[in-house]
Amino acid sequence: MDLLQAVVLALIQGLTEFLPVSSSAHLILVSVFTGWEDQGLTFDVAVHLGTLVAVIVFFRQDLLTMGGDFFRSLTGKGHGPGSRLAWAVILGTIPVGLAGLAFRDVVANHLRDPLILACGLIFFGLLLGWADWRRRGERTVYSLTWKDIVVIGCAQALALIPGTSRSGITMTAGLFMGLSREAASRFSFLLSIPVIFLAGALETRHLLRQPEPVQWELIGLATLLAGISAYLCIHYFLKFIRTVGMQPFVGYRLLLGIVLIWMYW
């Protein structure tokens, strides 16, 4: 791997991890246009670590509140808003964890076709657009009910389908359940923490079984760039959707899906 490849892939991973546009679609397009070889598991683990650190740093105050309330609830001192949100994140992660264990090989071996990716971009993009257009909810993340958690958690499991976008489908479900744009996005980002951690742990497990030479300088740079770009992405995305909404991302998904169909039909 050379410097250009490391920089481009790290920035794409950092920017698209949290936007509702499907990071897998962009990585496929990069490989098509550049012909670069697979970046390897070490690189994947590194950029996932970068994005994980970014979301933890950005939501550090929320996470401290959630953690404190959560442990107080375990000692019988009652539930606060933070503990309920912490439980929502934990329980909302279960469906995608179970789906990942059950269907990981099916997805990896049979659903990586670019046309399936294009259909996922278009269909779930239209669904996001509909949810954003028809709902103007004002509920916050602290108003989540068990029904909300089940719906959003099960929706997150659909992200195994290429082109869906984990952040996109969880935001869509949140909007349908009456959350505000910002609340749906914030819960989606909080849900990403255990998902990214588990995905990175799984990749690390495979990495330990298949040692490969490590270019530490490039890996370190990629981790840093992925983290910085992901942090900035979260910051400006939350500002952007307050006034503009999701429709620009819907249009972008439709265009990207059409491009993939044109390329591979």
Side-chain angles (χ1 to χ4, degrees):
M1 176 186 295
D2 59 22
L3 177 61
L4 178 61
Q5 182 179 1
V7 170
V8 170
L9 293 178
L11 290 175
I12 289 175
Q13 182 66 40
L15 291 173
T16 60
E17 179 71 41
F18 299 109
L19 293 180
V21 296
S22 178
S23 58
S24 59
H26 291 78
L27 294 174
I28 284 177
L29 283 175
V30 169
S31 66
V32 167
F33 288 124
T34 63
W36 286 334
E37 295 181 359
D38 184 85
Q39 61 270 21
L41 276 175
T42 303
F43 186 90
D44 288 341
V45 171
V47 293
H48 274 98
L49 174 62
T51 55
L52 177 62
V53 171
V55 71
I56 289 174
V57 171
F58 190 90
F59 290 105
R60 59 191 180 278
Q61 293 300 327
D62 301 75
L63 293 172
L64 286 173
T65 300
M66 290 164 61
D69 286 355
F70 178 76
F71 285 112
R72 277 192 290 273
S73 73
L74 293 180
T75 57
K77 296 181 179 179
H79 285 280
S83 66
R84 287 192 290 270
L85 183 55
W87 278 111
V89 171
I90 293 169
L91 296 175
T93 304
I94 293 175
V96 72
L98 295 176
L101 291 173
F103 301 111
R104 182 174 181 272
D105 291 339
V106 174
V107 172
N109 297 324
H110 302 290
L111 296 182
R112 290 300 181 185
D113 187 282
L115 291 178
I116 294 177
L117 184 66
C119 291
L121 281 167
I122 294 172
F123 176 78
F124 290 106
L126 290 172
L127 196 63
L128 173 62
W130 182 29
D132 187 51
W133 173 76
R134 71 184 290 271
R135 300 297 295 224
R136 286 294 180 268
E138 296 299 331
R139 295 173 54 207
T140 71
V141 291
Y142 294 108
S143 69
L144 286 166
T145 66
W146 293 114
K147 180 180 177 182
D148 300 325
I149 297 167
V150 170
V151 170
I152 297 172
C154 290
Q156 184 171 224
L158 294 175
L160 292 173
I161 302 172
T164 303
S165 170
R166 190 211 60 82
S167 57
I169 194 61
T170 49
M171 291 176 194
T172 299
L175 291 170
F176 273 123
M177 300 309 292
L179 296 180
S180 68
R181 289 167 175 163
E182 184 175 2
S185 301
R186 291 178 76 87
F187 188 53
S188 172
F189 295 148
L190 290 172
L191 278 175
S192 74
I193 294 174
V195 171
I196 295 175
F197 175 81
L198 291 172
L202 185 61
E203 289 176 340
T204 301
R205 180 187 174 195
H206 289 298
L207 176 62
L208 294 175
R209 293 179 176 180
Q210 302 173 4
E212 57 184 46
V214 178
Q215 298 172 284
W216 290 111
E217 295 82 3
L218 287 181
I219 293 299
L221 176 63
T223 305
L224 179 63
L225 289 177
I228 293 173
S229 59
Y231 184 94
L232 293 174
C233 175
I234 296 171
H235 174 75
Y236 287 108
F237 176 78
L238 290 174
K239 290 180 176 294
F240 182 83
I241 60 170
R242 289 171 192 162
T243 54
V244 179
M246 303 289 186
Q247 300 306 321
F249 301 101
V250 174
Y252 180 76
R253 287 178 65 112
L254 297 180
L255 179 61
L256 187 57
I258 292 170
V259 168
L260 285 171
I261 291 174
W262 175 73
M263 290 174 60
Y264 288 99
W265 189 263

